Amino acid sequence: MGKVIDPFRFAAEARTQSGEVEVAKLPRLKDSLADVNAVLSWRLEGWLESSMLSGREEPRLKLLIDGALSLRCQRCLNGIDWQLAIATVLQPVRAGQQIPDEELEDDEVDAIEVEEGLDVMALLEEEILLALPLAPRHEKCDSPLGRNGAGEESPFAALASLRGSNRAD
């Protein structure tokens, strides 16, 4: 499950892999979440696709990821239920090989450089991180309360009061 040894052969033989992954096992993702007790399902499919520009068959990988995450609201720091549904098509390119310009212009396919095998879990984590909203927030929520549980005055409130008193007329 952890690695596709040869993604080019995987695509040429139209193979598939699927499974489930515990979110707690994705270390870079944990910081964005309010709760790491979720399980995501994934599927990796390979095939060859004829390139109209080069006339050759090019390897393609389709990655599907589904599940629900509990993101951390940037206002109140509580959890937000967020449905994850990723379907991305990738073109593996050998390390050092130049990515053709026409592939760079194709918004439906992302080229990825592959050195020695394809780490599926790292790919899953990367695609999930790219899909997350930059600053998840509830539509309506309260900002967190101070240490004593009551709303505390902002330290900048005192500066705001000084702003009007030092003006030259």
Side-chain angles (χ1 to χ4, degrees):
M1 171 174 102
K3 205 167 207 178
V4 172
I5 303 298
D6 185 351
F8 303 97
R9 188 172 179 187
F10 183 89
E13 294 176 357
R15 289 197 222 161
T16 62
Q17 269 191 15
S18 61
E20 292 185 335
V21 63
E22 295 174 23
V23 173
K25 293 183 178 180
L26 303 173
R28 295 186 314 157
L29 182 60
K30 289 196 294 189
D31 290 340
S32 303
L33 303 176
D35 183 9
V36 295
N37 295 319
V39 176
L40 303 174
S41 58
W42 61 272
R43 180 175 175 88
L44 184 65
E45 304 170 353
W47 76 94
L48 293 176
E49 187 169 295
S50 295
S51 172
M52 296 171 114
L53 298 170
S54 69
R56 296 186 318 243
E57 290 195 319
E58 301 287 343
R60 295 286 191 265
L61 302 172
K62 184 173 193 173
L63 180 63
L64 304 160
I65 310 169
D66 288 307
L69 296 174
S70 180
L71 302 180
R72 183 173 292 120
C73 174
Q74 297 298 304
R75 284 188 193 135
C76 68
L77 304 178
N78 291 323
I80 300 173
D81 291 333
W82 191 69
Q83 194 62 38
L84 179 69
I86 296 173
T88 187
V89 177
L90 306 165
Q91 177 185 355
V93 177
R94 296 190 191 284
Q97 179 182 343
Q98 188 171 1
I99 300 169
D101 290 337
E102 60 271 8
E103 300 301 332
L104 294 173
E105 294 172 7
D106 186 357
D107 290 337
E108 295 184 20
V109 177
D110 292 325
I112 56 169
E113 189 174 74
V114 179
E115 287 188 32
E116 293 181 21
L118 181 66
D119 184 343
V120 177
M121 290 302 112
L123 179 62
L124 286 171
E125 188 171 27
E126 188 70 29
E127 290 298 323
I128 294 167
L129 287 168
L130 289 170
L132 293 179
L134 289 176
R137 294 184 296 245
H138 292 107
E139 285 191 32
K140 291 185 179 182
C141 63
D142 297 324
S143 58
L145 299 175
R147 280 179 237 118
N148 62 7
E152 296 176 358
E153 186 174 322
S154 166
F156 298 104
L159 292 174
S161 67
L162 293 174
R163 186 166 154 220
S165 64
N166 290 338
R167 288 195 176 154
D169 293 316

